[in-house]
Amino acid sequence: MKAHKICVLIPTYNNAGTLGDVLTEVLKYSDDVIVVNDGSTDATHTLLQEFADKVTLVEYDTNKGKGYALKQGFKEARERGYDYAITMDSDGQHYPSEISAFVRAIIEHPGALIIGERDLSKVDINGKSSFANKFSNFWFTVQTGRKLKDTQTGYRAYPLKYLYGFGLMTNRYEAELLLLVFSAWNSAEIVSMPIPVFYPSQRERISHFRPALDFTRISILNTILCIGAILYGLPVRIWQNIRRKRIFGNPMSWFAKKDKPANITIGRLCRTGYTLLHFVFWSIIVFKPYVWLNFKFSKPTAKKSRSLHEKIYHISSFFTRNFPGGKTSIENYTKEDFRKPAIIVCNHQSHLDLPILMSLSPNLIFMTNDWVWKNKFFGNIVQSAGYVCMTEGIDSMLPKIKSMIEQGCSVVIFPEGTRSDDCKIQRFHQGAFSLAQQLGLDILPMVLHGAGHYLPKHENMLRKNPMTLRVLPRISQESVKEMPFRKQASLCRGLINEELQSIASGKETPKYFASLVLYKYAYRGWTTVSQCKNALSQIGKYEELISHLDGPVAFVNSGIGVIPLLCALANPSVHVYAFVTGKRDYETFTATVGLPNNLSIHKVVFQEDYDIMPIDTRVFILGQPTMVQLFRKYNHSLISLNDE
């Protein structure tokens, strides 16, 4: 309660018989108690002197009503720096043990007005009080458009910074209804929480409710509030919904696909459309007729094949330089010129692997699968270019390959056969290495990074991230001729995997994954997207802190999870604990599709909820700096990511 600046506020009038027991119980749960003595004429003043060193006392001589007492209590709480006040009655009907439930609700719903909903069907309550509650509930719905089952409950938690209608509070019971109505008009979150309640028999009960006078006052107030609902409440609700981004607050189901790890955005649509337009233009309008005229109506020659290779090389180079949102870097530190034929082996990540590799040299042919070979858009192009279909069998392939090698071409093979979902390198098959030995060719390993993120395996829309192709040194046939093909495959896989990890460690920073994270939250509601964009705009401040980590990390006050998600993506070998207090934030975070396996999300309220993380965890504090105090019992490295 101290960490979240919560106090308990108890207004009292002539309840000396029950007040002592109430205070004794309340003090078991909170040291921050404010009691407002509303001009009591019984032994209340004398009783309160016994608690003078344990509670904050506000007193005045004349009874002015519960509304006035609450107002004075709120003022005192604000002056003492509290952010929330849990109000309860002094007649013993409210159980102090429910304070912990209110604290949990406050933390789960920051800034909300929490009301304790009584189950009046199981208590001895007179007909007038029951009617008054139903009467109040009805008019509250009329005035605000919201439904509450118990608008007369006095067991509540008020956010002191957002006491809408505070200046208009009346002095009597109806003040609590007025605060509810103004909160609803200002689109504040109102959370109803079931609570038990105790009512003594009606003969023993002390009531300050005056039916005729109080019903008249409430009726007049409801009349005014109904007029206010039209002139003030409705316009304010519309404005507050706009200001708090609650319009378009629900996910747009067509864009936010639940079965895809990245939602559809306008940017992704434009990038994909642009690339598809180029593909259709060059493959169908340009290359297909060109191949048809040169290879179907006249005799194919080596010169024509070479010319086609040159054209494919140039258009692939154009594509590689101009992938929208996916600039490709070619790292050829060995200055490989591809003049000497070789068997090129490369990891397989995406449909874009071929155009990226084609941009290296016109002296490349590819071992393609049946789908590429028979594709109705570009199948005749790859056939005319001298590429080889793997399903033909080695006896049929070998003469074609030898012919292309004699023309100075190298053969590109993806030894994995198929690509993985997560871009990790799978087991290499031995065929490429057997072929290299039969032809007496060097093995030339290459590494692709980023293509599988830019166009993932099970998606047909482009994302936004850079791509890298790194050319590694040749492996001479002489150095591996005594090595079994299985070991050659393992050797090349190890080299490529090591280089892939090297590229990833330098490229896969939180900023690299920023676009992916934005896609995960896109079109899931205006507020959610705004929170995501705001967190991503701060990447520069904390990128170095959450990059290249070597041990477990935890994020406290994780919100909707943008920063811990970035950290988990950028540090796949590190376990990331995300602690979320807000219920709405927790639901948003856990509903995010495609969360990495090294990220665990925990909903927390009390200090012991954090015990799940290892003792050597590095803790990042987001949001409230006061949360640092919760971790003094741990031997944690504490880092605040606040401006403070």
Side-chain angles (χ1 to χ4, degrees), residues 412-452:
V412 180
I413 301 175
F414 298 105
E416 294 171 273
T418 185
R419 52 207 166 103
S420 63
D421 294 344
D422 56 4
C423 298
K424 291 182 179 179
I425 299 178
Q426 303 182 99
R427 184 177 66 88
F428 277 13
H429 299 296
Q430 302 173 33
F433 308 96
S434 172
L435 185 63
Q437 188 179 84
Q438 291 182 60
L439 299 173
L441 297 178
D442 294 342
I443 299 169
L444 179 55
M446 294 186 187
V447 187
L448 262 172
H449 173 268

Side-chain angles (χ1 to χ4, degrees), residues 495-527:
L495 288 172
I496 292 174
N497 191 54
E498 183 179 349
E499 289 296 320
L500 180 64
Q501 297 308 313
S502 174
I503 298 172
S505 65
K507 299 281 187 181
E508 293 183 12
T509 63
K511 190 174 292 185
Y512 176 89
F513 290 106
S515 60
L516 173 58
V517 171
L518 179 58
Y519 297 150
K520 289 180 180 293
Y521 289 94
Y523 292 99
R524 292 175 60 190
W526 192 357
T527 301

Side-chain angles (χ1 to χ4, degrees), residues 10 38 45 97 251 285 292 333 348 396 439 503 526 538 585 588:
I10 304 175
D38 184 25
H45 174 77
S97 57
I285 298 178
W292 185 268
Y333 301 127
H348 193 15
S396 176
L439 299 173
I503 298 172
W526 192 357
Q538 307 296 317
D585 288 344
T588 300

Side-chain angles (χ1 to χ4, degrees), residues 53-305:
D53 59 339
K54 299 177 182 178
V55 303
T56 299
L57 182 59
V58 177
E59 286 190 294
Y60 40 87
D61 296 333
T62 306
N63 174 248
K64 297 185 178 181
K66 186 177 183 180
Y68 184 86
L70 286 173
K71 196 169 186 178
Q72 298 308 307
F74 291 148
K75 287 180 179 179
E76 182 70 22
R78 281 174 165 178
E79 290 175 2
R80 292 181 175 273
Y82 294 109
D83 289 339
Y84 295 90
I86 299 174
T87 63
M88 59 186 300
D89 294 344
S90 62
D91 60 3
Q93 67 165 288
H94 298 148
Y95 290 94
S97 57
E98 292 301 304
I99 289 175
S100 59
F102 274 94
V103 171
R104 177 177 290 275
I106 287 171
I107 297 172
E108 290 179 342
H109 303 275
L113 195 163
I114 317 295
I115 63 172
E117 180 186 310
R118 302 166 295 175
D119 183 0
L120 300 178
S121 64
K122 299 179 181 179
V123 296
D124 181 19
I125 186 172
N126 62 50
K128 294 177 182 178
S129 296
S130 177
F131 174 77
N133 195 45
K134 293 177 182 178
F135 181 77
S136 177
N137 297 345
F138 169 78
W139 285 111
F140 176 80
T141 302
V142 171
Q143 293 151 9
T144 66
R146 299 195 196 184
K147 288 187 177 182
L148 289 176
K149 294 182 179 180
D150 190 2
T151 55
Q152 293 293 299
T153 178
Y155 212 168
R156 304 181 180 186
Y158 289 95
L160 297 176
K161 293 181 180 179
Y162 306 103
L163 278 176
Y164 299 105
F166 178 75
L168 300 175
M169 284 181 66
T170 63
N171 288 348
R172 299 293 174 180
Y173 289 101
E174 64 274 9
E176 292 173 301
L177 175 62
L178 186 144
L179 289 175
L180 270 181
V181 171
F182 269 85
S183 293
W185 283 350
N186 284 273
S187 297
E189 184 180 8
I190 301 175
V191 178
S192 189
M193 183 185 75
I195 58 168
V197 65
F198 169 75
Y199 276 101
S201 64
Q202 295 189 34
R203 289 178 299 175
E204 300 175 3
R205 194 179 310 160
I206 298 175
S207 175
H208 306 298
F209 184 73
R210 297 165 295 181
L213 183 60
D214 289 337
F215 265 124
T216 301
R217 183 185 294 105
I218 292 173
S219 297
I220 294 172
L221 176 64
N222 280 322
T223 302
I224 297 172
L225 290 177
C226 286
I227 298 172
I230 300 172
L231 301 179
Y232 173 82
L234 184 60
V236 169
R237 283 166 60 190
I238 295 173
W239 164 245
Q240 291 291 355
N241 283 332
I242 295 173
R243 187 175 71 86
R244 297 182 182 183
K245 300 180 175 63
R246 288 183 177 171
I247 293 179
F248 307 116
N250 295 323
M252 299 179 69
S253 58
W254 193 86
F255 290 94
K257 299 289 187 180
K258 293 182 179 180
D259 59 338
K260 299 293 183 183
N263 296 329
I264 299 171
T265 66
I266 300 300
R268 295 187 74 194
L269 285 170
C270 291
R271 281 191 291 276
T272 304
Y274 171 84
T275 305
L276 187 61
L277 187 64
H278 269 282
F279 168 77
V280 170
F281 175 78
W282 289 107
S283 66
I284 297 178
I285 298 178
V286 177
F287 277 103
K288 202 173 181 69
Y290 173 82
V291 168
W292 185 268
L293 291 172
N294 283 275
F295 290 85
K296 294 294 183 182
F297 290 102
S298 59
K299 184 179 179 180
T301 64
K303 185 178 180 180
K304 289 181 180 179
S305 179

